[in-house]
């Protein structure tokens, strides 16, 4: 399949949203990227496979057992994680995403079934009560400007922008997530709203899987929506109601090269490969570490486009490094740090066969500079793109990314953006989420 190259600029506008001033590349030309107002490229953010921890087992659990297969789902909950830090990150991310999904928040029976899978032995009852309370509190957000919640029109998507392991051993882990949420309704007139949360998930290794012992959330770092993106109207979100799109599923599974292990030859595998590609193409190391970038490209891009994508991304990376004066650690001489993260909010299959697939992603991409210059404070842009993949070398490899109209929720209300230097807490490789 031939590689594709797309450019867009802010001279064109859509009925629902203004496109940001941007250069958007297909994967064959270096990943989807957006130029921030500061001249820094915001790309598709990353996963960071961690070193494996020791293996251990725990007593039997009454909840359904994990199969060990990546992407296996029980009662709507992904299960079967590696006993590693990356596996713990993936579990924390998925459990947080499930707990914030429309189905979980609007269907009590489905919520309790999901809790029975996620919770530790003996912890389901209290987890159910906490989940019921959270669902009741979310009702106003899911109504939009309607008189009551319409479960079929509810928009409740969560994207994980960073994941930091606060503690890890053979028996448990504690992971702090920085997430962005989009909640509202595709019915009515008010666009769904953006939110940011800091979620701390405590996990126990039990029944050969990660289980949630506790979870607590507070308001997270607030990044302003890129001023060049106008909010869409409510009906524009209809393609991302529960029956129309799926939440991304992160796995934390990695091969010997440190990048995602091979994906299954099915639609789920294609979706996962597309999600990982969009994350990896935005890792700050994509811009600052040539060796990492080349290894990542070899792991994710199809051989037919590898040469051209390597050449083009090398040029892109040099431009970013020169513009910001950052070194291999992503930092400039004044201590400011390049911040790039992208979270997948939802996936939709456009087409699929066992040889090729096209997967649409709705993403939230944060980028800017953590430092003293407030004019370069990280901002969030909401993008849509179609990732084309082919089945080669026993896995799904990307051939192109084609951007489409952005889908932009309303910005956070009554919340001021955090200072630019505070975003250093979510930068760096150690804060990268697990990949799919």
């Amino acid at each position: 399949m031939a590689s594709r190259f797309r450019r867009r600029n802010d001279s064109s506008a859509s009925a629902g949203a203004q496109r940001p001033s941007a250069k958007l590349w297909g994967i064959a030309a270096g990943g989807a990227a957006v130029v921030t107002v500061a001249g820094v490229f915001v790309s598709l953010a990353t996963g960071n496979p961690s070193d494996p921890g020791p293996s251990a087992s725990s007593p039997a659990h009454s909840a359904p057992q994990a199969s060990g297969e990546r992407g296996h789902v029980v009662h709507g909950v992904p299960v079967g994680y590696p006993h590693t830090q990356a596996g713990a990150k993936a579990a924390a991310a998925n459990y947080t995403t499930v707990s914030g999904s429309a189905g979980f928040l609007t269907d009590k029976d489905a919520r309790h079934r999901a809790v029975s899978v996620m919770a530790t032995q003996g912890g389901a009852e209290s987890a159910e009560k906490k989940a019921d309370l959270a669902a009741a509190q979310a009702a106003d957000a899911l109504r939009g400007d309607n008189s009551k919640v319409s479960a079929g029109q509810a928009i409740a998507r969560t994207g994980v922008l960073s994941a930091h392991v606060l503690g890890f051993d053979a028996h448990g882990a504690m992971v702090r997530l920085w997430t962005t949420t989009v909640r509202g309704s595709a019915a009515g007139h008010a666009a769904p709203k953006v939110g940011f949360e800091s979620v701390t998930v405590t996990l126990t290794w039990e029944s050969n899987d990660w289980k949630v012992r506790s979870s607590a959330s507070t308001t997270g770092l607030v990044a302003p929506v890129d001023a060049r993106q106008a909010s869409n109207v409510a009906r524009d979100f209809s393609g991302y109601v529960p029956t129309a799109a799926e939440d991304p599923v992160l796995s934390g599974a990695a091969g010997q090269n440190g990048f995602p292990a091979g994906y299954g030859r099915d639609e789920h595998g294609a979706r996962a490969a597309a999600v990982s590609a969009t994350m990896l193409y935005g890792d700050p190391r994509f811009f600052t570490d040539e060796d990492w970038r080349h290894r990542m490209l070899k792991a994710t891009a199809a051989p037919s486009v590898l040469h051209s994508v390597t050449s083009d991304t090398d040029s892109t990376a040099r431009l970013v490094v020169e513009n910001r004066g950052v070194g291999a650690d992503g930092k400039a001489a004044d201590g400011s740090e390049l911040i790039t993260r992208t979270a997948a909010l939802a996936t939709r299959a456009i087409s699929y066969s066992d040889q090729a697939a096209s997967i649409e992603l709705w993403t939230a991409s944060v980028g800017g500079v953590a430092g003293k210059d407030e004019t370069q404070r990280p901002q969030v842009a909401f993008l849509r793109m179609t990732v084309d993949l082919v089945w080669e070398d026993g896995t799904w490899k990307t051939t192109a990314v084609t951007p489409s109209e952005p889908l932009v929720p309303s910005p956070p209300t009554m919340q001021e953006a955090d200072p630019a230097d505070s975003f250093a807490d979510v930068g760096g490789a150690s804060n990268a989420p697990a990949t799919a």
Side-chain angles (χ1 to χ4, degrees), residues 376-394:
Q376 299 192 53
R377 177 193 290 117
Q379 301 179 69
V380 60
F382 291 88
L383 308 173
R384 283 187 289 182
M385 61 203 72
T386 299
V387 181
D388 293 331
L389 310 105
V390 294
W391 182 260
E392 289 195 54
D393 300 331

Side-chain angles (χ1 to χ4, degrees), residues 250-284:
L250 306 186
S251 73
Q256 293 183 349
N257 60 3
F259 296 104
Y263 295 98
R265 196 171 189 174
D266 54 22
E267 186 179 306
H268 170 79
R271 288 179 188 253
V275 169
S276 288
T278 61
M279 297 174 75
L280 289 168
Y281 270 74
D283 190 300

Side-chain angles (χ1 to χ4, degrees), residues 23 89 99 101 106 114 131 161 214 223 239 298 303 315 340 362 387 394 399 434:
K23 295 179 180 179
K89 283 186 176 185
S99 298
S101 66
T106 61
L161 292 163
S214 66
K298 186 176 181 181
S315 297
T340 64
W362 181 24
V387 181
T399 58

Side-chain angles (χ1 to χ4, degrees), residues 215-226:
S215 178
S217 63
T218 61
T219 300
L221 286 170
V222 177
V225 176
D226 191 314

